[in-house]
């Protein structure tokens, strides 16, 4: 487990560090209270991956798909409005998770039963209006 904090002015540097620590992990779970900055941090990550698309939380469609200049595909999920976890199965989340493309998940606790055994957990905590604490952890729940 790795922890560090960053200020708003250093979000790009923090995003770069998270990418390095994640290594080859493709499924990233973002955990934090409402307003902790999950979507804002995903925007900073997208910038590091040279994604030109407009990054926004997929509030109504559950998933947004992005592509960078190299043709890599990225999937950004927001399960906040999901009432029934099986709705996620209807959109084929398991196919996304095992696609070998980056999957960034907000409010993943709503689909906890369907998460892959291995993923990269990013916890965001509010320290102040301009500062956040990150806790990074490689999760491997293989029994």
């Amino acid at each position: 487990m790795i922890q560090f904090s960053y200020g708003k002015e250093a979000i790009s540097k923090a995003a770069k560090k998270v990418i390095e620590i994640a290594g080859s992990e493709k499924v990233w779970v973002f955990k934090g209270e409402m307003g902790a900055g999950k979507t804002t941090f995903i925007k900073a990550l997208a910038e590091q991956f040279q994604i030109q698309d407009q990054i926004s939380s997929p509030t109504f469609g559950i998933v947004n798909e992005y592509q960078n200049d190299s043709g890599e595909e990225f999937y950004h999920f927001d399960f906040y409005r999901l009432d029934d976890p099986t709705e996620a199965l209807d959109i084929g989340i398991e196919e996304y998770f095992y696609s070998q493309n980056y999957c960034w998940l907000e409010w993943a606790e709503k689909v906890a039963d369907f998460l892959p055994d291995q993923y990269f957990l990013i916890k965001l905590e509010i320290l102040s209006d301009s500062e956040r604490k990150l806790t990074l952890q490689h999760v491997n729940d293989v029994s």
Side-chain angles (χ1 to χ4, degrees):
M1 187 180 323
I2 297 170
Q3 294 183 327
F4 64 94
S5 59
Y6 66 92
K8 284 182 181 176
E9 73 288 341
I11 194 168
S12 294
K13 194 174 174 181
K16 197 176 287 191
K17 187 173 182 176
V18 167
I19 291 167
E20 289 171 17
I21 294 167
S24 62
E25 195 62 62
K26 297 290 185 166
V27 177
W28 298 10
V29 171
F30 293 81
K31 195 169 187 159
E33 64 183 85
M34 186 75 73
K38 295 178 293 293
T39 303
T40 301
F41 199 79
I42 288 171
K43 287 178 184 179
L45 290 167
E47 205 172 276
Q48 294 301 314
F49 281 107
Q50 283 90 45
I51 295 172
Q52 303 300 320
D53 299 318
Q54 177 72 34
I55 307 299
S56 62
S57 189
T59 310
F60 298 104
I62 296 179
V63 63
N64 284 345
E65 298 183 18
Y66 313 120
Q67 200 170 56
N68 66 9
D69 295 339
S70 305
E72 285 181 286
E73 291 185 6
F74 298 78
Y75 304 114
H76 178 191
F77 296 86
D78 185 337
F79 297 113
Y80 181 73
R81 297 194 190 283
L82 198 69
D83 294 321
D84 178 358
T86 59
E87 289 176 44
L89 292 177
D90 294 342
I91 66 157
I93 60 165
E94 290 175 322
E95 290 175 37
Y96 286 106
F97 293 166
Y98 298 103
S99 68
Q100 296 305 306
N101 294 313
Y102 284 96
C103 294
W104 296 330
L105 287 64
E106 296 186 53
W107 302 102
E109 53 272 23
K110 294 213 172 202
V111 295
D113 290 344
F114 307 120
L115 290 177
D117 293 331
Q118 202 170 312
Y119 57 89
F120 187 57
L121 179 61
I122 302 163
K123 291 183 190 172
L124 291 99
E125 288 178 64
I126 301 170
L127 297 179
S128 71
D129 285 348
S130 61
E131 194 173 9
R132 299 294 184 263
K133 176 181 167 185
L134 288 179
T135 302
L136 310 175
Q137 181 180 358
H138 289 273
V139 175
N140 190 344
D141 283 341
V142 178
S143 301

